[in-house]
Amino acid sequence: MIFRELQENLVRSTSAGVGPPLSPERTRMLLALRINVLAKGYSGVSLETLQKMVAAFNASCLSWVPEQGTVGASGDLAPLAHLALGLMGEGRMWSPQTGWTDATTGLSLINGTQMISSLGAEAVERAEAITRQADVIAALTLETLKGTNKAFDIDVHAVRPHPGQILVAQRFRSLLHSDFFPSEVTDEKSYEGVQDAYSLRCCPQVHGVANDTIAFVKYILNTELNSATDNPLVFPERGITISAGNFHGEYPAKALDFLAIGVHELASISERRIERLCNPSLSNLPAFLVKEGGLNTGFMVVHCTAAALVSENKVLCHPASVDSLSTSAATEDHVSMGGWAARKALKVVEHVEQVLAIELLAACQALEFHRPLKTTAPLEKVYELLRSVVRPWDKDRVMSSDIEAAHQLLLEEKVWEAVLPYMDQYKKRNHHHLSSSNLSSELLL
């Protein structure tokens, strides 16, 4: 009886989180990862408790889990305690039938790094999606600015063979190559520029390292998601229980700080391309991409929005994991701050998505001024996709709804889906070039 009270008190006292709750979707992911760890059999939890957690997951009965309060050492104690509190019938619970209502099992339920890992996994998935689509949007911008595709030559990238760089250059070639998908907008033979700006010709180098960063972070998180991170750990075949440090969140914390830094650069370089689209001194396009500039502001302020998001990201990219505050009477004298690393990585990715949504709007608006000429077949599909949800900008209107519509296309990966058949076609027709550059079909897509 005393042991039961001790366990319950531990969950209650550790339920000390603050701030808004995780969404039901994120809480469900958190519960799934917790079940996955406990099911490995090293956590000392009873089978009955595990079965109840599975039943709660299947019924989408989810605890109220505040997003703030973890330092990422001794696991995500506060969030996981709130997760366990609801399962004990205390605190608040969410279900599809009732929404949030008042809820009417010890240490094994509250150690571990699943809060960091669950939010981190979402950040990685969204980062992968936006990184792919950033290449498509940048290629469209290059087209509307009448840039050259010479910087994406296969031999250029073969002599600096970073996998991500090779991958991005290949994507640009597949989207811009006139032999297969002729463009009426650009003419390589009459190209007048000496060299394009870095934000155009250096996309393989800048976008490329984002791809390589994501691959590294994905490896770390895949390992973390499938690891036993509780304390103590039970090894029944040896008949022993060991208190150790697998709960420490340094691995995912460091990786997610790295993810934020790597992916942010997609927004930073995108904002520079938006500037080029809007600034008539940097293009042959009307100021702020609108015909009647005196009467209409056009894309002037939406570029400011992109700049504001990039500026916020600069602060958010300061690594959380370089900080450590001693807690728990100096027993937890080094902590990872992984919870904050995960939350801000997600926020950085969201900002990147929104900046690229703005560039997509601007690039398609710029294409209006080249009509009736058409760009390459895959990029025309991107234009048609956007125009299915956002009409051309003929005079000023509320821009926020347009940004949200474009953002939703990116969240659903519609832009990527629109060009993928053409990229597959290009890959098949250039198989001998791909083989010579050691670029695998898996890497291409």
Side-chain angles (χ1 to χ4, degrees), residues 92-115:
R92 281 178 280 183
M93 292 285 285
W94 182 92
S95 74
Q97 294 76 30
T98 64
W100 290 113
T101 59
D102 289 337
T104 0
T105 22
L107 188 59
S108 295
L109 295 181
I110 62 177
N111 257 212
T113 60
Q114 283 68 58
M115 168 82 161

Side-chain angles (χ1 to χ4, degrees), residues 68-333:
Q68 294 170 281
T70 177
V71 295
S74 196
D76 295 313
L77 283 178
L80 293 177
H82 281 279
L83 185 70
L85 188 68
L87 298 174
M88 285 168 50
E90 300 181 20
R92 281 178 280 183
M93 292 285 285
W94 182 92
S95 74
Q97 294 76 30
T98 64
W100 290 113
T101 59
D102 289 337
T104 0
T105 22
L107 188 59
S108 295
L109 295 181
I110 62 177
N111 257 212
T113 60
Q114 283 68 58
M115 168 82 161
I116 306 171
S117 299
S118 61
L119 296 181
E122 181 184 344
V124 169
E125 288 293 314
R126 289 173 65 171
E128 278 191 312
I130 196 58
T131 301
R132 285 193 291 263
Q133 294 173 110
D135 297 341
V136 181
I137 295 168
L140 182 57
T141 294
L142 183 138
E143 265 285 285
T144 60
L145 292 172
K146 304 188 75 169
T148 177
N149 62 22
K150 291 180 180 178
F152 313 120
D153 186 274
I154 193 169
D155 290 333
V156 169
H157 302 282
V159 297
R160 195 196 191 197
H162 293 295
Q165 179 176 330
I166 290 174
L167 169 62
V168 174
Q170 171 61 27
R171 287 175 179 167
F172 269 74
R173 290 195 301 274
S174 70
L175 293 166
L176 298 169
H177 205 294
S178 59
D179 289 351
F180 301 112
F181 317 114
S183 170
E184 299 171 351
V185 175
T186 58
D187 182 356
E188 288 293 323
K189 294 179 181 179
S190 61
Y191 176 71
E192 297 179 356
V194 178
Q195 296 183 98
D196 288 326
Y198 290 4
S199 60
L200 299 174
R201 62 178 154 122
C202 294
C203 284
Q205 292 78 9
V206 178
H207 290 205
V209 74
N211 282 275
D212 290 339
T213 300
I214 291 168
F216 169 76
V217 177
K218 194 170 185 178
Y219 168 78
I220 295 291
L221 281 180
N222 276 337
T223 301
E224 191 73 11
L225 290 172
N226 293 288
S227 297
T229 56
D230 286 329
N231 186 54
L233 291 172
V234 179
F235 298 94
E237 70 282 0
R238 296 172 61 190
I240 61 172
T241 299
I242 301 176
S243 294
N246 278 4
F247 51 72
H248 202 293
E250 196 75 9
Y251 265 100
K254 281 285 188 286
L256 291 168
D257 279 337
F258 189 21
L259 179 73
I261 293 168
V263 176
H264 156 72
E265 215 58 38
L266 298 175
S268 180
I269 197 170
S270 174
E271 182 274 329
R272 290 292 79 207
R273 292 192 296 263
I274 296 168
E275 160 74 1
R276 304 195 77 81
L277 289 166
C278 293
N279 189 337
S281 67
L282 301 175
S283 70
N284 293 317
L285 300 166
F288 306 116
L289 302 174
V290 67
K291 290 180 180 178
E292 300 180 33
L295 182 62
N296 297 286
T297 303
F299 277 64
M300 180 177 72
V301 178
V302 77
H303 170 241
C304 293
T305 300
L309 293 170
V310 169
S311 184
E312 285 190 28
N313 270 3
K314 291 175 184 177
V315 176
L316 291 170
C317 282
H318 178 81
S321 62
V322 299
D323 187 24
S324 178
L325 290 171
S326 181
T327 61
S328 191
T331 300
E332 300 171 3
D333 58 351

Side-chain angles (χ1 to χ4, degrees), residues 35 78 144 176-177 191 210 225 328 351 399 413 433 436 440 443:
I35 291 169
T144 60
L176 298 169
H177 205 294
Y191 176 71
L225 290 172
S328 191
H351 288 170
M399 177 66 85
E413 298 191 65
H433 290 303
S436 65
S440 70
L443 182 60

